[in-house]
Amino acid sequence: MAKGLILINGKISMEKDLSNYRKSYEKQELLENNLVDNPNELFLRWFQEVEAHFDEEEANAMTISTIGLDGFPKNRIVLLKKITHDGFIFFTNYKSEKGKAIDANPNVCLSFFWSQAQRQVIIKGTAQKTEANISDDYFRVRPRGSQLGALASNQSEIVENRGVLENELIQLEKKYLGMDVPRPDHWGGFIVKPVEMEFWQGRANRLHDRIRYQLTHDSQWIKTRLSP
Ligand SMILES: Cc1cc2nc3c(=O)[nH]c(=O)nc-3n(C[C@H](O)[C@H](O)[C@H](O)COP(=O)(O)O)c2cc1C
């Protein structure tokens, strides 16, 4: 069977009823007596628990939604690469669709769904480019293929066919043979500084725990429980 083809026997229907997809969430709870004052601390605790005890393949995969230049929100997955006191850092092409959207409107929303732990975290915040040295440091430790790939791809631009990209990669491999690959100026980090963080823990009978932290004007976090 050719690579990339998935074999489905019989006729493929254009409709599907998913009303029988149902799961009960009963693994954990999120109660007020467990809450810390700073949501970053809770995020880190949850992240470390997911890493240590649950079989999530890419716990750092997160959805980032932006408001596009066309007025539509758009979600896509990126990889969280650093958590600091100031925020959440990921790397991308600054000229991509998301890069342009953030330039025009820095308000973004991140979300994580850790299915094995039955947890969701939603983070509203503002995105800004990281300092160049943070992008340099991360670019340096990427595998060489990923470094060259970042140079080869004008992310989000139309490309005529796959061969164009593969040729570009071959040219770049030759150009930088025996040399370090330089980070292109248009590739780097964004840091998302949170203003609101919501923690969702699945519970029985759809009575899930939802705790929302909101940042006040004097930089205090207030927390409230939301109805599921
Ligand atoms: C698991 C996974 C991880 C990804 N990680 C990144 C990433 O860290 N940075 C990135 O720019 N794109 C990443 N992508 C690709 C993005 O989802 C997206 O296709 C790309 O950034 C272009 O988005 P845009 O055209 O909306 O800007 C990842 C996709 C998947 C499925």
Side-chain angles (χ1 to χ4, degrees), residues 58 61 74 76-79 81 90-93 96-99 155-156:
E58 287 194 284
K74 183 182 172 188
R76 78 288 277 163
I77 305 281
V78 293
L79 296 178
K81 285 292 172 176
F90 68 95
F91 294 89
T92 193
N93 185 314
S96 64
E97 187 175 343
K98 80 183 88 47
Q155 194 177 54
S156 316

Side-chain angles (χ1 to χ4, degrees), residues 7 20 50 74 77 116 141 170:
L7 197 65
N20 277 337
V50 166
K74 183 182 172 188
I77 305 281
Q116 298 302 312
V141 300
I170 290 167

